[in-house]
Amino acid sequence: MAAGYAQDGPVERPGRLMSAEVLEQPEVLRRVLQDGAPRIREVAAVIAARNPRFALLSARGTSDHAALYAKYLLEIRRGLPCGLASMSTTTAYGARPDLTGVLFVAVSQWGGSPDLVASTWAAREAGAITLAVTNNPDSSLAAVSEFHIDVLAGPERALPATKSYTASLLSLYLFVAALGGGERGEDHDDGRALALLPDLAERIVERRDEVRALAARYRFAERVVVTSRGYGYPTAQEAALKLMETCYLPALAFSGADLLHGPLAMIGDTSAVLAVVPDGKGGEALRPVLDRLRARGADLFVVGTRAEAAKGSVGFALPTEGVPERLQPILEILPLHLLTYELALRRGHDPDVPRAMAKTPESS
């Protein structure tokens, strides 16, 4: 299937690398569950035995959004206070805070970003328990970290990171679930949903014709606002980044709460708004925001349940029945990967060759 989609035109078709990797994601998820889970549980057990007092997460670009997802998981599922590290405090300003007993998680596709490597090494010297989560076990980041998790996405040749993002989300979920020693019943209940994820992901990426039609709607958009709440917020951030780096389309991501504190004023009846509506508490918290957006006449593209998608100007219904909200981000991003790919082509761009090579592998 993936080959057909990537090669349904000449070999030189723009975006063929990105399209192939988007469609590879169901198989990558299966690989993480089958081959990656045992090692992830081992690492989590050793770290849990050291009883970290709080966590710091460090990343750039796409990986930063995966780290944000881990922050939600650690705070909600494990009650572990979390922060997002500011790398420049150590790399530029030379700060050396006491990180004794702190879990420092560095997330990176390639693991070669100099400031990420340097800040992780500084954290380890300051007493932190350092964990690298990468798609490259031979990376500098893996080498300077005490522990490493390989997300097993396989070589990623397209500049927009897609399969390494969802592989990171799933790997981080498995890590956080195992960090508690499996004592919470809800984690055991997630087993069936985890087993369903690859097949559900396959059902989503098979709907590329549906997404292609949606992309036509936004071919001439001048700006997009992306919003969500709770577990969906990292998806909103990642969708905005993908729109910017593949379509060169200005995209602003806001939590629903922040959108109401000022930025709502820029929304009118010509505004394109993409809303990621989780099936759960995050979606419930977002509904008053969606009501305000509809009242302002926004062109509202909703990614969520069938009922929520039907309330938008247009929508993409996700097959989330039986999938807890905490796992839905792994599915939410898939139609948005397809959308950014199709929209880039509609706007005359090749998503495999970002303008002026503005992004490097080390930045994700």
Side-chain angles (χ1 to χ4, degrees):
M1 179 190 67
Y5 186 47
Q7 299 173 6
D8 56 356
V11 173
E12 297 79 12
R13 181 182 180 183
R16 65 189 182 278
L17 297 178
M18 181 181 179
S19 68
E21 290 174 358
V22 167
L23 296 177
E24 193 182 336
Q25 289 179 94
E27 186 55 38
V28 171
L29 296 177
R30 289 189 183 95
R31 188 183 309 140
V32 174
L33 290 171
Q34 293 170 8
D35 302 335
R39 168 62 179 166
I40 292 171
R41 286 193 291 267
E42 289 175 6
V43 170
V46 175
I47 291 176
R50 291 168 63 173
N51 194 27
R53 55 193 178 99
F54 66 88
L56 281 175
L57 297 122
S58 189
R60 295 286 192 203
T62 285
S63 297
D64 200 26
H65 307 145
L68 180 58
Y69 171 65
K71 183 177 187 291
Y72 276 88
L73 287 170
L74 285 164
E75 291 183 341
I76 297 170
R77 309 290 293 156
R78 296 294 163 237
L80 192 65
C82 294
L84 298 176
S86 300
M87 284 180 254
S88 63
T89 61
T90 55
T91 60
Y93 293 94
R96 292 296 182 265
D98 180 5
L99 299 182
T100 304
V102 172
L103 173 59
F104 188 96
V105 182
V107 186
S108 174
Q109 174 191 358
W110 287 104
S113 173
D115 58 346
L116 187 55
V117 172
S119 62
T120 302
W121 177 248
R124 187 171 181 178
E125 287 193 314
I129 306 162
T130 52
L131 168 65
V133 179
T134 82
N135 193 36
N136 183 4
D138 299 321
S139 64
S140 300
L141 183 61
V144 302
S145 300
E146 185 177 359
F147 300 98
H148 176 255
I149 289 174
D150 184 354
V151 303
L152 300 176
E156 195 163 44
R157 298 170 60 202
L159 264 293
T162 55
K163 63 178 183 173
S164 64
Y165 177 68
T166 47
S168 296
L169 295 184
L170 181 52
S171 297
L172 287 164
Y173 169 83
L174 293 171
F175 170 73
V176 175
L179 197 60
E183 295 176 356
R184 296 198 178 190
E186 340 174 81
D187 293 331
H188 290 296
D189 294 342
D190 285 353
R192 183 174 181 276
L194 284 168
L196 289 173
L197 280 179
D199 290 340
L200 293 175
E202 196 149 22
R203 284 169 53 187
I204 291 172
V205 298
E206 285 175 345
R207 294 162 62 186
R208 52 191 180 271
D209 290 340
E210 180 182 343
V211 176
R212 188 177 295 125
L214 290 169
R217 183 183 184 93
Y218 300 102
R219 179 178 180 183
F220 299 107
E222 296 181 356
R223 181 183 64 200
V224 175
V225 170
V226 192
T227 189
S228 188
R229 289 205 67 179
Y231 282 113
Y233 183 47
T235 308
Q237 292 277 2
E238 177 61 10
L241 175 61
K242 286 292 175 282
L243 287 167
M244 289 187 284
E245 71 177 347
T246 64
C247 306
Y248 316 134
L249 177 60
L252 304 171
F254 297 97
S255 78
D258 287 336
L259 187 61
L260 295 183
H261 284 76
L264 186 69
M266 69 179 172
I267 305 295
D269 58 9
T270 61
S271 302
V273 179
L274 196 168
V276 178
V277 187
D279 185 10
K281 293 180 180 179
E284 293 170 10
L286 191 64
R287 286 193 186 110
V289 183
L290 300 177
D291 291 339
R292 294 282 297 275
L293 290 168
R294 283 189 284 264
R296 297 183 70 85
D299 183 297
L300 189 59
F301 175 12
V302 174
V303 175
T305 64
R306 187 171 301 280
E308 291 296 338
K311 296 177 186 177
S313 307
V314 291
F316 186 98
L318 289 170
T320 55
E321 299 83 359
V323 179
E325 184 181 0
R326 53 191 169 267
L327 281 170
Q328 290 172 27
I330 298 167
L331 301 177
E332 290 166 349
I333 194 59
L334 298 175
L336 300 174
H337 282 161
L338 290 170
L339 177 71
T340 53
Y341 166 76
E342 295 290 352
L343 187 56
L345 297 184
R346 287 271 182 177
R347 293 168 71 92
H349 307 307
D350 184 349
D352 287 343
V353 187
R355 186 180 294 165
M357 297 300 287
K359 178 187 173 189
T360 63
E362 288 75 17
S363 67
S364 56

